[in-house]
Amino acid sequence: MEFVSLPAIYDTAFQFRNAQTTVDFIEHCAEMYTDIPVESIVEFACGTGFFTVEFARRGYHAYGVDINEEMCRYAARRGWNESLELSIFHADMTEVALPRPCDLAVNLFDSLTYLTDKQRVIAHLKTAAKALRPGGLYLVEIGLIDDFVNHNVK
């Protein structure tokens, strides 16, 4: 059984992250680097919806995208439990089509490295570009590594 197929355990393992502080930083970046008002946000590889739910709490129209169906159900349930308006899509981040373009897109927690070859990274970047309206901003969180041996991207 895959580690990420157990959403509650996943949330427990990564509870060291602070959604409020992270979203504060994302809002600061949006204020600095885009001239459009941010009203909608898509989180690629949203997992359990940890950050997607925080976006919705703050009044953004929040979209979450994840390839793991169990994670998507868990994320949707989190939003429902708080009576939040958010949309969760069970889809591959290299080919998802949102119902409307967003003002901001994020890919957090080093999730870009789930894409294991350059073609998938390029496909995702094209998908992200289509998911943003003109003037929108895409923020990617990538952990620093000092050795690419055994790293996902080839």
Side-chain angles (χ1 to χ4, degrees):
M1 183 176 294
E2 289 183 38
F3 174 68
V4 295
S5 68
L6 302 169
I9 292 173
Y10 180 93
D11 263 1
T12 300
F14 294 106
Q15 67 184 344
F16 64 90
R17 291 296 299 261
N18 183 306
Q20 293 86 9
T21 302
T22 301
V23 173
D24 287 347
F25 176 74
I26 290 167
E27 288 177 328
H28 178 72
C29 290
E31 288 172 13
M32 289 181 60
Y33 298 111
T34 187
D35 294 327
I36 63 171
V38 175
E39 297 173 356
S40 58
I41 300 173
V42 59
E43 180 186 4
F44 294 107
C46 71
T48 62
F50 187 67
F51 298 107
T52 308
V53 166
E54 181 62 23
F55 293 132
R57 284 180 189 135
R58 294 183 186 210
Y60 298 104
H61 186 87
Y63 295 103
V65 175
D66 203 276
I67 199 166
N68 184 301
E69 188 172 9
E70 190 175 356
M71 295 288 228
C72 289
R73 282 194 303 269
Y74 187 91
R77 191 168 42 250
R78 285 178 95 159
W80 185 83
N81 287 343
E82 293 189 38
S83 300
L84 296 171
E85 189 174 324
L86 54 87
S87 302
I88 303 295
F89 296 92
H90 172 229
D92 187 320
M93 68 176 154
T94 64
E95 58 189 33
V96 65
L98 299 177
R100 65 180 183 145
C102 291
D103 307 314
L104 178 67
V106 297
N107 190 312
L108 304 170
F109 240 138
D110 216 20
S111 297
L112 194 63
T113 63
Y114 293 145
L115 304 176
T116 56
D117 60 59
K118 291 176 185 171
Q119 289 75 24
R120 288 184 49 77
V121 172
I122 291 167
H124 168 66
L125 293 174
K126 288 179 179 178
T127 296
K130 290 177 189 171
L132 287 169
R133 73 181 184 116
L137 180 65
Y138 184 33
L139 297 173
V140 178
E141 177 184 42
I142 299 178
L144 298 175
I145 57 174
D146 55 5
D147 186 354
F148 277 93
V149 176
N150 295 321
H151 195 58
N152 289 342
V153 178
K154 295 178 178 121

